[in-house]
Amino acid sequence: MAATVSIGEFARLTNLSVKTLRYYHEVELLEPVAVDAGSGYRRYSVNQVGQAQLIRRLRGLDMPLPEIKAVLTASDTESRDAALRAHLERMEVELRRTQSVVASLRSLLTPAAPLTVEYRSVAAFPALAYVDSVRSDGIGDWCAAAYPLLHETLAAAHIAPAGVEGATYSMEFFENDEGEVVAFVPIQADARMALPSELSIIELPARRFAIAVHSGPFDDFDRTYGALGSHVAEYDTSLAEPIRELYVLGPGEIEDPNAYRTEVCWPIEQGEPQ
C-alpha cells in the first residue's frame, strides 16, 4: 500500500498550494484518499503525485477545469490523448492570433507608407452572389464557406468568372457589428445556371470610387480603412452606401497572409477629386 501524507506535505511534493488543493477537492478534481471525520484533515497518497503534476501543467496551459477532469477520468489512453490534442490545437490557434496582433501592434510603431488613392468609375455589372446578414466576428468563417460555393456553382455550369471576386459591406455591418454582406463573383450578362438556394444573381450598381490597396494581413485592415476614409472625408463626398472590396489576391489563392492584396473601394459622389 502506498504511503500517505498530509495536505501540507503533499503541497511540497507537488508545488500546489494548500489553498489550491482544497479547491481541487471541492470541485472533485483531485480528491484526497482519506479525510479525518473529526478534524477534517486531508491525506493524499504518493501515488497521486503524478496526477497532481499533470493538473498543474494543464492549468499552466489554461485548460479549463472540466476539460482537465475529462482528461483525468478518461477511460483509455486514446480518449485522454484526444482531449489533450484538442486543447493544444486551440492553443496553437490562439498563439497564431496573438502573434498576428503583436505584429500589427509593432506596425503601429512605424509610420504608415504614403497612401496612394486611385479614382475609378465602375459600370453596373451582373454577379453571382451570396447575400447574408453576418456578424463581424464571424466574417472569416462566412467568407471561407461563401466563395467556394460561388466558384463551385460556376464550375458546375462551366462558366468562367467575368472579373475579380469581391464583397460589399453595409453601413450596419460597421455600425452594429452585424449587417448585410454580399460576396460576389462577376459573370457575363447572358450567363445561365442552376442556383443553390443560398445564391442569387444580382446587379451591382454603377458607382464612382476612391480606391486604396491593402496589402498584408487582416489585422492591419483598419489602417487602410482609416487612411482611405480620412482621405475621402478631406477631399471628396462619401456616400452612405456599402464599401466594396475586390480580392485581387486572397486566401483562396495564396498561403501567406502577408501577401493578401485587396482593393478597398469607397463610394463617392460623381466628379473629379478636389
Side-chain angles (χ1 to χ4, degrees):
M1 182 176 178
T4 63
V5 296
S6 68
I7 190 171
E9 185 67 10
F10 195 68
R12 291 207 299 176
L13 293 176
T14 61
N15 282 340
L16 292 172
S17 69
V18 168
K19 179 180 179 181
T20 298
L21 289 170
R22 286 172 177 161
Y23 175 66
Y24 288 169
H25 181 197
E26 290 173 6
V27 298
E28 300 179 344
L29 182 63
L30 181 63
E31 300 184 56
V33 294
V35 179
D36 186 272
S39 64
Y41 289 162
R42 299 169 173 86
R43 294 193 67 83
Y44 291 82
S45 168
V46 294
N47 287 341
Q48 293 177 285
V49 170
Q51 194 175 39
Q53 290 171 339
L54 176 60
I55 293 172
R56 186 168 179 269
R57 282 160 175 76
L58 295 179
R59 287 300 292 152
L61 294 176
D62 294 324
M63 179 179 276
L65 293 181
E67 294 185 21
I68 295 177
K69 191 171 183 179
V71 169
L72 297 177
T73 58
S75 57
D76 52 60
T77 302
E78 184 177 343
S79 300
R80 182 202 65 190
D81 291 350
L84 289 173
R85 278 195 298 270
H87 184 70
L88 289 174
E89 288 169 2
R90 287 194 296 272
M91 286 196 65
E92 288 168 352
V93 170
E94 181 63 21
L95 176 60
R96 289 193 293 270
R97 189 194 69 82
T98 300
Q99 290 172 333
S100 180
V101 172
V102 168
S104 183
L105 284 172
R106 288 189 185 280
S107 74
L108 289 177
L109 300 177
T110 59
L115 183 72
T116 299
V117 178
E118 172 191 350
Y119 288 87
R120 188 186 305 162
S121 293
V122 179
F125 62 89
L128 179 64
Y130 192 150
V131 183
D132 201 359
S133 180
V134 185
R135 287 186 53 83
S136 59
D137 57 6
I139 188 63
D141 291 339
W142 185 82
C143 287
Y147 288 102
L149 179 58
L150 289 168
H151 286 289
E152 288 166 8
T153 302
L154 289 177
H158 305 288
I159 296 174
V164 178
E165 68 185 42
T168 67
Y169 296 87
S170 65
M171 293 285 288
E172 292 77 16
F173 180 81
F174 300 101
E175 294 174 351
N176 304 325
D177 284 329
E178 182 174 1
E180 183 178 274
V181 178
V182 179
F184 66 84
V185 178
I187 58 175
Q188 297 293 340
D190 59 354
R192 297 292 182 270
M193 71 198 84
L195 297 180
S197 59
E198 303 95 325
L199 304 187
S200 59
I201 294 177
I202 65 170
E203 181 173 276
L204 275 80
R207 287 292 178 267
R208 182 166 175 79
F209 295 104
I211 300 173
V213 175
H214 173 78
S215 297
F218 177 78
D219 287 323
D220 289 335
F221 232 128
D222 59 339
R223 298 190 78 182
T224 301
Y225 263 74
L228 178 59
S230 298
H231 176 94
V232 168
E234 186 76 23
Y235 300 106
D236 303 290
T237 301
S238 176
L239 298 178
E241 295 186 1
I243 298 289
R244 194 178 296 182
E245 294 181 358
L246 299 179
Y247 304 126
V248 182
L249 288 175
E253 301 172 78
I254 52 178
E255 295 182 358
D256 181 8
N258 292 308
Y260 293 176
R261 188 169 182 270
T262 299
E263 290 185 345
V264 180
C265 307
W266 206 284
I268 59 174
E269 287 190 354
Q270 295 287 341
E272 295 300 320
Q274 299 178 10

